Amino acid sequence: MEPVLRNGVALVEEITSWLRLPAEELDARVIGEEAHRVLLDVAALNAAAAAGDQEAFRLQQLLLARIYDLFMKIPDEPTAEGSVVVNGVLTALERATIAAEDAAVDWAVVDAAPTTPAEYLSWLKQSARGHRVFKHPYYMKFIRNHATAAHLRKYVIQESVVDGRFDDLLALMQVGTAGPAKMEIANNFWDEMGNGRPDEVHTTLFNQLYDVFDITPQELEDSLTATALLSGNLAVLLCRYRRFYPEAVGFLGMTEWLVPDRFVQVVGAWERLGLPEVGIVYHRLHITVDSQHAAGWFHNIVSPSAGSAYMRRGIARGTLWRLNSSARYLDERLAEVADLITAGT
Ligand SMILES: [Fe+2]
Ligand SMILES: [Fe+2]
């Protein structure tokens, strides 16, 4: 029998309150029946999300994001990082998230991918060009022609989960790499660090947008939608674990590759609206830098590893996760503003 979700909000708030307890204290308190009950409730939340319950999906991704914060932020007090019960919840949330993304992958297409590196690489790019996320109307129509300053403010908030910590994602995914792959990630990371110039660090440049729009950290978390939370969670999931290294290569590589075309539209909107120049430095820079990053990534990481069937399958999986999740995210953004766009504009 499928577990029944009783109160998803209460469940997420209960587990969130645990994250601020020392792991040993939490595990001494939540044991036996109590720990079992929580895992059943999380299973019910996951089942509801899998069945299409959008609020359950948002709560699932919100809880996952909060648990990932244990690994992505340095705290100023003890946390539940390393707790047995939190790890149990985390694993359940991750498995449900993985299953949902895999369900959207056309495995017959993945299995038919070319096996020589050059052909495999052009197949990857063709898969992206043929995907509905490529030249998505949210960027090509809405951002370009219609977005107001208030829309761009909202856009920045939703983008914060990836752009706001790209350096840490690179740092996580490079563990265990060697040779040209490690060198490529290091080069990319050094660009993220502004090539040693503190005021040119990419996250610093991105954070200038928070100042322009007066966005607070609390507002960031409060405003994140389900698919924005998912984008951030997928990036952490794939970069954090060594078994997902091939997927991280595909996911981050495709993220870089899609950027220039999209940011041209954001810069265009910024200029159309006459917004302060300091706020658009990040996007302007990445039109050039990310096309170089994508080229370097494909040449130095994807191609050398494409001789391995294991790597090819994982890179394709991560690429498709990125394309599919980005498409759902942009569909969600576009639906919010659909009344502002008339057909053909
Ligand atoms: Fe960057
Ligand atoms: Fe980049």
Side-chain angles (χ1 to χ4, degrees), residues 240-254:
R240 178 164 187 251
Y241 298 105
R242 296 309 80 211
R243 69 184 188 279
F244 287 134
Y245 172 72
E247 282 82 356
V249 168
F251 192 94
L252 290 193
M254 193 47 67

Side-chain angles (χ1 to χ4, degrees), residues 166 170 188 191-192 202 256 259 282 286 289-291 293-294:
F166 204 79
L170 287 169
N188 194 316
D191 280 346
E192 289 296 318
H202 291 188
E256 302 263 20
V259 158
Y282 176 87
H286 282 81
V289 161
D290 276 351
S291 67
H293 285 169

Side-chain angles (χ1 to χ4, degrees), residues 110-111 113-115 120 246 305-316:
V110 172
D111 291 338
T115 55
Y120 176 77
S305 58
S308 144
Y310 170 76
M311 287 296 296
R312 281 197 305 275
R313 187 176 173 84
I315 292 170

Side-chain angles (χ1 to χ4, degrees), residues 58 60 90 101 121 205 231 233 237 241 249 287 306 345:
R58 190 186 70 81
Q60 174 196 59
L90 173 63
E101 288 313 309
L121 189 53
L205 298 177
S231 292
N233 288 339
L237 169 73
Y241 298 105
V249 168
I287 293 170
T345 58

Side-chain angles (χ1 to χ4, degrees), residues 44-321:
L45 180 70
N46 286 334
D53 179 334
Q54 288 305 300
E55 178 59 4
F57 170 58
R58 190 186 70 81
L59 289 168
Q60 174 196 59
Q61 294 305 316
L62 178 63
L63 183 57
L64 184 53
R66 287 178 176 172
I67 296 175
Y68 277 154
D69 277 351
L70 296 178
F71 316 122
M72 298 300 286
K73 293 178 179 170
I74 295 175
D76 53 10
E77 57 188 4
T79 74
E81 184 180 17
S83 148
V84 174
V85 66
V86 171
N87 280 344
V89 171
L90 173 63
T91 300
L93 294 171
E94 288 178 335
R95 285 181 182 166
T97 302
I98 291 164
E101 288 313 309
D102 277 348
V105 170
D106 186 341
W107 293 103
V109 171
V110 172
D111 291 338
T115 55
T116 61
E119 287 176 62
Y120 176 77
L121 189 53
S122 58
W123 173 82
L124 269 188
K125 291 180 184 172
Q126 269 317 114
S127 303
R129 287 195 191 97
H131 196 285
R132 70 188 177 82
V133 79
F134 193 68
K135 309 237 179 236
H136 193 283
Y138 177 76
Y139 280 101
M140 298 299 154
K141 286 186 181 175
F142 175 69
I143 292 271
R144 182 191 185 104
N145 300 323
H146 303 276
T148 64
H151 291 124
L152 291 180
R153 182 178 191 279
K154 204 169 173 202
Y155 163 79
V156 167
I157 290 175
Q158 305 304 323
E159 293 283 297
S160 65
V161 285
V162 175
D163 292 78
R165 58 181 179 191
F166 204 79
D167 50 4
D168 285 341
L169 295 170
L170 287 169
L172 283 175
M173 69 128 3
Q174 64 87 29
V175 175
T177 59
K182 185 162 251 172
M183 196 61 81
E184 180 60 35
I185 299 167
N187 273 322
N188 194 316
F189 185 82
W190 194 234
D191 280 346
E192 289 296 318
M193 294 296 102
N195 300 103
R197 292 181 286 274
D199 54 349
E200 292 177 25
V201 170
H202 291 188
T203 51
T204 303
L205 298 177
F206 188 77
N207 289 348
Q208 288 171 0
L209 279 157
Y210 300 159
D211 295 335
V212 168
F213 287 132
D214 199 17
I215 297 167
T216 63
Q218 189 58 47
E219 187 186 1
L220 277 186
E221 201 211 57
D222 291 347
S223 317
L224 288 175
T225 63
T227 58
L229 288 164
L230 174 70
S231 292
N233 288 339
L234 291 178
V236 175
L237 169 73
L238 296 185
C239 292
R240 178 164 187 251
Y241 298 105
R242 296 309 80 211
R243 69 184 188 279
F244 287 134
Y245 172 72
E247 282 82 356
V249 168
F251 192 94
L252 290 193
M254 193 47 67
T255 302
E256 302 263 20
W257 194 69
L258 288 171
V259 158
D261 217 20
R262 294 175 166 190
F263 283 10
V264 165
Q265 315 311 324
V266 179
V267 170
W270 203 267
E271 290 172 347
R272 169 170 58 74
L273 293 162
L275 293 167
E277 189 57 27
V278 65
I280 200 63
V281 175
Y282 176 87
H283 290 85
R284 215 184 274 290
L285 172 72
H286 282 81
I287 293 170
T288 329
V289 161
D290 276 351
S291 67
Q292 294 163 357
H293 285 169
W297 200 268
F298 288 143
H299 185 261
N300 295 314
I301 305 182
V302 175
S303 289
S305 58
S308 144
Y310 170 76
M311 287 296 296
R312 281 197 305 275
R313 187 176 173 84
I315 292 170
R317 185 188 190 200
T319 298
L320 292 171
W321 280 23

Side-chain angles (χ1 to χ4, degrees), residues 22-43:
E24 298 79 2
E25 186 184 323
L26 175 62
D27 286 336
R29 189 197 293 185
V30 183
I31 51 170
E33 278 293 301
E34 173 75 350
H36 185 61
R37 193 247 332 147
V38 166
L39 288 178
L40 284 177
D41 284 346
V42 172

